[in-house]
Amino acid sequence: MNIKKRKIFVTQPALPDLQEFIPYLEDIWQSKHLTNNAKYHQQLEKEMADYLGVKYISLFANGTLALLTALQVLKITGEVITTPYSFVATTNVLWWNRIKPVFVDIEPTYCNMDPEKIEAAITPQTTAILPVHVYGNPCYVDRIQEIADMYELKVIYDAAHAFGNKLNGNSILNYGDLSTLSFHATKPFTTMEGGAIVCHDEKTKKRIDYLKNFGFADEVTVISPGINSKMNEMQAALGLLQLKHHQENIEKRKGIAEIYKSELKQINGISVLPDFPGLGNYNYSYFPIFVDENKYGKSRDELYFNLKDNGIHGRRYFYPLISDFPPYRGLVSAEKENLQIAKDISEKVICLPIYPRLEIKHIIKIIDIIESNAI
Ligand SMILES: Cc1ncc(COP(=O)(O)O)c(C=O)c1O
């Protein structure tokens, strides 16, 4: 297809060869076990926990249901401190649990929740902190835990972007009380839709598994008003295959990120995230750039729409801020003065296309467009 006409999206799912998937499907068809903690579900929970270096994983139908359930597992109520710089699901799950979100600003280096803003947002109703490892870079986990311990708060990390990422050799998912993952089609590890909760002890794992299956502890006992948020066998089988290919996909993403980094650093007014010290196994799930209009000569939106006119569909993750959406903008913590850094960054960011099959000619085209828009 003509390179001018072909649309390049921010991401494209990396799928295994269909032939590799067919034996799994045949097995599922033959066994008739389609869901309810069947063979592939159990196998993926074990293999993924080993792969990620965590103790327990519970698989879910998607990342939003994992988050929704995580709040129920820890019986979170009242107010929860969170970030406006995320995908809207992070706050929607609070609303669905009738919890009041309290937004705090982000730090300007990695766009994660600024731990130094947390204490001022704590009230007698605060029960937990819900930060996000944005773009897969770790939050300041030690400082957040220190504050949580001091005020007896729970910590749930929305780790939707952080599959596989390690901090000083330890999985990022081992921090906090619980972490949740998303395996949505846009994520570097995908089961089409899918998600997980990571926890650190067997008792909690059991409770999660009851809650994601209507609250059933056995055939005749419902211990809690649970929900149905289980992953099915087709998703789990795909997950097993995806695990085999994950590392090679990440290497390809890394190669693309390195080209972007070295080429874009020459352009005045375009900046990229610095490497996070101690971060290993980075998954390169996103490649955000930040446009400084004064230096670059064009606004973020001018560049964004120019890329689009040329068939390059980046995404402004995360714009608008969650706190600007109608359900949340009336909250006191959603006021602009409270979230100045988040507001500023959300008006500068564009996430560029990055996925294993992105072709070099398209990477060059993207860089050329960004270069040609500069002063
Ligand atoms: C930070 C964040 N949290 C939650 C979600 C929701 O996950 P899912 O789409 O699997 O429900 C996503 C992405 O989709 C996300 O990026």
Side-chain angles (χ1 to χ4, degrees):
M1 190 189 279
N2 183 339
I3 181 170
K4 274 197 156 160
K5 290 203 182 121
R6 175 139 167 228
K7 282 187 182 173
I8 303 295
F9 294 103
V10 70
T11 192
Q12 184 189 84
L15 291 169
D17 195 298
L18 185 57
Q19 292 311 313
E20 274 188 272
F21 195 37
I22 287 175
Y24 289 87
L25 291 178
E26 284 171 347
D27 190 40
I28 293 168
W29 253 246
Q30 214 250 326
S31 75
K32 312 279 186 292
H33 288 168
L34 307 184
T35 185
N36 286 5
N37 198 26
K39 182 172 88 177
Y40 290 127
H41 186 283
Q42 289 182 29
Q43 196 181 332
L44 183 59
E45 285 196 344
K46 281 202 192 74
E47 287 192 20
M48 191 184 282
D50 286 348
Y51 181 81
L52 294 174
V54 301
K55 272 203 167 139
Y56 298 98
I57 288 204
S58 290
L59 296 170
F60 278 75
N62 60 55
T64 304
L65 284 168
L67 265 174
L68 196 78
T69 309
L71 292 160
Q72 287 283 327
V73 171
L74 299 179
K75 300 193 171 88
I76 304 298
T77 57
E79 295 178 7
V80 168
I81 294 172
T82 191
T83 170
Y85 194 76
S86 180
F87 183 63
V88 70
T90 311
T91 305
N92 284 351
V93 294
L94 296 173
W95 209 257
W96 274 65
N97 275 293
R98 299 185 188 277
I99 293 164
K100 181 177 171 187
V102 176
F103 297 111
V104 297
D105 210 353
I106 59 173
E107 42 80 15
T109 316
Y110 296 103
C111 315
N112 283 327
M113 180 186 284
D114 182 347
E116 299 317 320
K117 304 274 166 62
I118 294 174
E119 280 185 276
I122 296 173
T123 75
Q125 282 70 49
T126 311
T127 55
I129 309 171
L130 175 55
V132 181
H133 300 301
V134 177
Y135 309 131
N137 282 308
C139 294
Y140 291 114
V141 286
D142 291 335
R143 181 71 185 118
I144 290 173
Q145 196 57 55
E146 199 175 84
I147 297 165
D149 290 344
M150 195 143 61
Y151 293 90
E152 296 185 356
L153 304 175
K154 300 285 186 196
V155 182
I156 300 173
Y157 282 107
D158 179 342
H161 302 177
F163 185 90
N165 298 358
K166 297 197 167 172
L167 182 58
N168 301 319
N170 182 15
S171 170
I172 297 179
L173 307 169
N174 285 324
Y175 293 90
D177 294 282
L178 298 174
S179 292
T180 64
L181 291 163
S182 163
F183 311 140
H184 185 256
T186 52
K187 302 291 186 274
F189 177 92
T190 182
T191 54
M192 299 196 181
E193 294 270 4
I197 301 182
V198 173
C199 69
H200 319 306
D201 64 272
E202 203 178 340
K203 206 169 137 200
T204 308
K205 157 85 173 139
K206 228 177 197 172
R207 187 167 153 71
I208 296 168
D209 289 345
Y210 293 156
L211 282 175
K212 77 177 189 188
N213 187 31
F214 311 95
F216 278 115
D218 59 44
E219 233 177 271
V220 289
T221 319
V222 170
I223 50 109
S224 202
I227 197 165
N228 178 7
S229 46
K230 305 181 297 285
M231 178 179 274
N232 68 46
E233 280 295 88
M234 281 208 286
Q235 288 172 291
L238 180 60
L240 285 165
L241 262 180
Q242 296 288 53
L243 269 190
K244 292 189 190 162
H245 296 287
H246 184 63
Q247 216 53 42
E248 108 203 14
N249 285 333
I250 295 309
E251 286 307 316
K252 289 183 186 152
R253 286 175 170 272
K254 183 179 178 186
I256 297 165
E258 273 163 9
I259 300 173
Y260 276 145
K261 261 197 259 178
S262 75
E263 295 301 316
L264 296 174
K265 74 174 179 222
Q266 336 270 358
I267 306 174
N268 203 16
I270 299 290
S271 57
V272 301
L273 290 177
D275 294 339
F276 195 100
L279 182 63
N281 268 57
Y282 188 48
N283 63 19
Y284 300 90
S285 48
Y286 297 89
F287 195 90
I289 61 167
F290 304 90
V291 183
D292 180 335
E293 185 173 347
N294 292 330
K295 293 187 189 150
Y296 183 66
K298 294 237 169 77
S299 70
R300 182 274 307 271
D301 282 349
E302 282 172 301
L303 175 59
Y304 172 74
F305 286 111
N306 187 254
L307 282 162
K308 221 172 187 178
D309 289 344
N310 284 283
I312 308 296
H313 296 250
R315 291 297 297 266
R316 291 168 290 180
Y317 291 140
F318 288 102
Y319 168 85
L321 293 176
I322 302 175
S323 47
D324 285 337
F325 290 127
Y328 307 117
R329 67 183 172 210
L331 294 167
V332 173
S333 66
E335 284 170 12
K336 211 166 138 189
E337 300 69 48
N338 189 44
L339 306 170
Q340 282 176 0
I341 295 170
K343 187 95 190 147
D344 181 52
I345 291 178
S346 80
E347 283 165 6
K348 288 183 172 156
V349 70
I350 304 177
C351 286
L352 299 181
I354 186 165
Y355 50 87
R357 295 179 74 128
L358 184 61
E359 293 173 53
I360 187 74
K361 66 182 179 206
H362 294 125
I363 302 170
I364 293 168
K365 179 179 170 185
I366 293 165
I367 294 165
D368 282 348
I369 296 168
I370 299 173
E371 242 163 20
S372 66
N373 271 279
I375 304 175

